[in-house]
Amino acid sequence: MLNWDDPLAPIQPATEAPKPAERTLPPEANPLQAEQALSAEAPLREEAITPLSGIEAEMHGQPLHTPDLDNKPVNPDDKRVVNGLTDINQLAPFKYPWAWEYFLNANKNHWTPLDINMNQDVHDYHHKLTLEERHVYENVLSYLTTSDILAMRNIGLAVMEKMSAPELQIYQARQVYEESLHTWTYQHCIESIGLDQGEIYNRYRVVPEINGKIQLANRRLNSVLRADIDLNDRDELHNFLMAYIFFAGVFEGCWFYNGFSPIFALQRRGLMKGTAEQLQYIMRDEVLHASFGIRVAKQIMLEENIKPDARAVSLMWEECEAAEAAYAGYILRDPILGYSREDHIGQFRFIANRRAKSLGLAEPFPGAEPTLPWLDEQANMRKEKNFFEATVTEYQTGGALKWD
């Protein structure tokens, strides 16, 4: 079974034997221990001297030359998640080998929506689903496709440029690709079923309960969509940390995870199995996204000696639960067989506690129990079968994933 707190724990990185001067991670270390071991000796420098570029030097009347800084080897101890002092273009030596492992593992979950047969879904939607089930299906896709575009923009425009270690940026570049792939997947489902694309895509603008979640995310993330943020400023750093915690812990860790469950409920009854299989691939991506983001957030807290304000975190959970409850009330205004509004909200609270615990924060909903105990099984899907009965080549890439 997948370890939700550290999906990569079973994977041993295939690295060369460490040099005597390098520090290595014990394979049994948990994420926080690993981060502490990597950061224990890292010096915190208050100011970095940035040499003038060639054009700037000419403008200032200075002779062109290569600064001594460029002639010095990169010391991995000088790397940091943000505010680092080393060459962002030099990948190794790694300070965060776990980030490279995320990248390698993400590439094993390579797929496209065209690999999955949607013919049965077309028949199910038009001939088997009730009006209530169609309502759920359409609105889940409407919310998810808008959210993945938002996620793609957030990583690409707000997060990657703030990272000062290339091994972090490389995984996030893969994440940007995966978010665009997810958007393609939803579009493929919408197009395959024959839904009105203009109507489906505009629901997030005209349905208050869907729009509410999107606007909440925009409000929390737009404040860091600026290239001029000075993360040496403690207020700016705290704002960035809170935005990152929201994005990894709530937006991807709870809302995406919980957002797939209505479709999985249909799948459990033998309905819309093609769409559900598409979402299973997406879910495996999102588990890695949330886990990586949580690990990065903890590393920032460790390196920068900063903690999120407890009251700010509490308010975040409160407004996110309210938005999720309103959304569940709309898509499940009439319960469907095997799934209800109460199931959806209960599972959100349970997963929220899990994400908060992973971040080292207090549980926002003490005592919450899983209302969908079967949901974790969805991320442990193995693709060791042919996509099409007529296909003789197995999908080896997905089958190579190591989740047990």
Side-chain angles (χ1 to χ4, degrees):
M1 294 291 287
L2 172 63
N3 181 340
W4 289 90
D5 297 322
D6 188 3
L8 300 187
I11 301 176
Q12 300 300 323
T15 57
E16 297 179 358
K19 299 177 181 178
E22 295 177 342
R23 289 174 294 134
T24 60
L25 293 175
E28 70 278 4
N30 62 39
L32 184 56
Q33 291 172 331
E35 290 153 8
Q36 290 171 336
L38 284 167
S39 304
E41 299 174 11
L44 177 60
R45 303 185 183 180
E46 297 180 354
E47 185 175 329
I49 301 175
T50 303
L52 296 177
S53 69
I55 295 176
E56 291 171 329
E58 286 182 330
M59 291 175 62
H60 289 78
Q62 297 181 14
L64 298 179
H65 67 281
T66 302
D68 291 340
L69 181 63
D70 290 344
N71 296 328
K72 295 179 181 179
V74 168
N75 180 355
D77 285 344
D78 291 333
K79 287 187 175 183
R80 305 178 75 81
V81 173
V82 295
N83 300 325
L85 303 177
T86 58
D87 187 348
I88 191 62
N89 298 308
Q90 182 171 321
L91 178 62
F94 292 127
K95 180 173 181 179
Y96 310 108
W98 49 266
W100 186 246
E101 288 299 320
Y102 272 86
F103 173 71
L104 296 179
N105 205 54
N107 279 279
K108 296 175 183 176
N109 190 37
H110 190 74
W111 54 282
T112 79
L114 302 181
D115 293 323
I116 298 172
N117 194 323
M118 292 289 293
N119 290 338
Q120 187 61 45
D121 289 52
V122 175
H123 182 267
D124 288 348
Y125 178 86
H126 292 285
H127 300 286
K128 290 187 177 181
L129 295 191
T130 65
L131 290 177
E132 293 78 12
E133 290 164 347
R134 290 184 189 180
H135 174 80
V136 168
Y137 181 86
E138 294 170 7
N139 284 286
V140 165
L141 288 183
S142 177
Y143 167 70
L144 289 175
T145 190
T146 305
S147 294
D148 260 308
I149 291 176
L150 194 158
M152 177 186 69
R153 293 182 65 254
N154 182 70
I155 290 294
L157 302 178
V159 175
M160 278 185 63
E161 67 174 5
K162 314 296 191 304
M163 300 293 103
S164 55
E167 56 262 44
L168 301 174
Q169 286 187 327
I170 286 175
Y171 174 74
Q172 289 168 334
R174 169 74 191 193
Q175 186 175 347
V176 168
Y177 161 76
E178 288 174 349
E179 302 295 9
S180 62
L181 175 63
H182 301 168
T183 300
W184 176 19
T185 301
Y186 307 135
Q187 163 63 16
H188 179 64
C189 292
I190 292 169
E191 189 173 21
S192 296
I193 299 299
L195 302 178
D196 183 332
Q197 297 185 37
E199 197 271 335
I200 294 294
Y201 277 97
N202 274 298
R203 285 192 185 182
Y204 92 93
R205 300 179 64 88
V206 300
V207 176
E209 294 82 358
I210 298 178
N211 182 262
K213 291 181 69 175
I214 299 300
Q215 291 305 322
L216 190 160
N218 282 333
R219 177 170 55 81
R220 287 192 164 271
L221 299 176
N222 281 350
S223 65
V224 296
L225 278 170
R226 297 185 288 114
D228 62 346
I229 291 179
D230 180 7
L231 295 183
N232 286 297
D233 181 290
R234 300 297 285 183
D235 291 336
E236 291 275 36
L237 180 62
H238 182 268
N239 180 56
F240 179 75
L241 176 63
M242 283 297 302
Y244 207 149
I245 286 175
F246 165 78
F247 182 70
V250 179
F251 191 80
E252 295 199 288
C254 294
W255 282 356
F256 271 145
Y257 174 91
N258 220 36
F260 306 137
S261 54
I263 306 300
F264 293 150
L266 295 175
Q267 179 197 36
R268 286 168 60 81
R269 294 168 44 215
L271 300 170
M272 310 307 289
K273 293 190 291 184
T275 303
E277 191 170 351
Q278 305 264 18
L279 297 189
Q280 284 178 299
Y281 278 109
I282 293 176
M283 189 177 189
R284 294 203 295 190
D285 289 340
E286 296 297 350
V287 167
L288 286 181
H289 295 178
S291 176
F292 179 87
I294 288 171
R295 196 159 187 174
V296 170
K298 290 197 298 182
Q299 190 72 27
I300 292 174
M301 288 188 268
L302 183 67
E303 290 181 350
E304 303 297 325
N305 191 28
I306 189 171
K307 292 288 185 182
D309 178 74
R311 179 57 182 162
V313 171
S314 179
L315 288 174
M316 177 191 74
W317 287 117
E318 288 177 11
E319 68 175 5
C320 291
E321 182 200 27
E324 186 75 351
Y327 171 75
Y330 173 73
I331 66 170
L332 293 159
R333 57 192 181 189
D334 297 304
I336 62 175
L337 184 61
Y339 201 86
S340 68
R341 175 182 179 274
E342 290 71 26
D343 292 333
H344 191 92
I345 298 172
Q347 189 68 20
F348 167 82
R349 292 170 179 156
F350 173 74
I351 296 302
N353 285 347
R354 176 188 285 174
R355 302 300 181 237
K357 183 178 179 181
S358 295
L359 284 159
L361 306 175
E363 292 186 350
F365 308 106
E369 296 291 336
T371 51
L372 304 173
W374 45 263
L375 191 53
D376 281 3
E377 299 172 5
Q378 302 299 137
N380 289 282
M381 170 197 68
R382 283 190 174 276
K383 289 312 300 167
E384 293 176 348
K385 69 178 183 65
N386 295 334
F387 280 111
F388 304 99
E389 292 181 356
T391 301
V392 296
T393 302
E394 290 189 356
Y395 187 55
Q396 297 293 340
T397 304
L401 278 169
K402 299 177 181 178
W403 294 95
D404 292 346

